[in-house]
Amino acid sequence: MNVVAITTLMERNNLMKSMIVTGFIFAIVLANVNLLAKVTAETGVGKDVFKVIVTLFGITNSTKDIVTIVNVKDQTKIKLFNAQNPESQDQDKVSYTMTFPNLTVNAGDPYTVCTVSVGDFKLNCIKGKNSPLDRPEFVDIDKSGASSEVKAGSSKD
């Protein structure tokens, strides 16, 4: 073989290696493009599940059972605070995390939190809006006193 043939063969070999490396880099970039997308509000997919954390406080020994209802879009979750439960006695507050997986909730979408006490059967509701931040929504409900005062957390607009 002469020098020209060897040089041409080496150039083709280097060109082929460069094309293979470039192809791998391109494939890796295409595979990870979706990781670069910015997430806003909760999408309901994977770890990004819409959550509402409801805290009932002002609970006394005379507090009756309390039903907490959270509604967002077409889904509703219910939790019962059982005053007779030995684990809940001597507590002045209780907190529930209501999760809504597989539900896309955009920033500004409304949700409603209601409580009903067995003592008076009054429905107390508060409306909130999903914040644009990627975090749970917080709702604090004061059950002390004759009338159940409902207060919203930082998510109320």
Side-chain angles (χ1 to χ4, degrees):
M1 262 197 193
N2 63 20
V3 176
V4 175
I6 293 174
T7 307
T8 306
L9 185 59
M10 287 178 58
E11 287 175 2
R12 286 184 191 167
N13 198 9
N14 285 340
L15 179 65
M16 186 62 95
K17 286 181 183 177
S18 297
M19 289 175 53
I20 291 172
V21 170
T22 304
F24 277 129
I25 292 172
F26 186 69
I28 290 170
V29 168
L30 280 180
N32 291 310
V33 164
N34 64 346
L35 298 176
L36 302 175
K38 185 177 179 181
V39 176
T40 57
E42 288 85 3
T43 62
V45 179
K47 294 180 182 178
D48 193 24
V49 175
F50 182 71
K51 296 178 186 175
V52 178
I53 299 175
V54 180
T55 303
L56 305 175
F57 63 95
I59 297 171
T60 64
N61 292 339
S62 63
T63 302
K64 304 291 183 188
D65 292 347
I66 301 169
V67 176
T68 303
I69 306 162
V70 178
N71 176 271
V72 61
K73 293 197 173 188
D74 63 344
Q75 292 190 19
T76 302
K77 302 285 179 153
I78 299 173
K79 292 282 186 173
L80 172 67
F81 171 75
N82 184 351
Q84 301 300 319
N85 187 349
E87 293 177 6
S88 63
Q89 291 181 352
D90 299 326
Q91 289 184 0
D92 61 344
K93 62 183 170 185
V94 65
S95 188
Y96 301 117
T97 301
M98 309 286 204
T99 59
F100 296 86
N102 301 320
L103 179 68
T104 301
V105 182
N106 298 315
D109 283 352
Y111 64 90
T112 305
V113 178
C114 297
T115 59
V116 177
S117 176
V118 174
D120 59 9
F121 290 106
K122 288 171 106 177
L123 182 66
N124 296 309
C125 295
I126 187 158
K127 295 181 185 274
K129 292 184 179 179
N130 185 23
S131 72
L133 302 175
D134 186 20
R135 63 160 176 79
E137 303 302 315
F138 298 91
V139 178
D140 297 330
I141 301 173
D142 185 2
K143 297 307 289 181
S144 65
S147 65
S148 298
E149 182 182 348
V150 180
K151 298 179 180 176
S154 61
S155 64
K156 185 176 179 184
D157 290 338

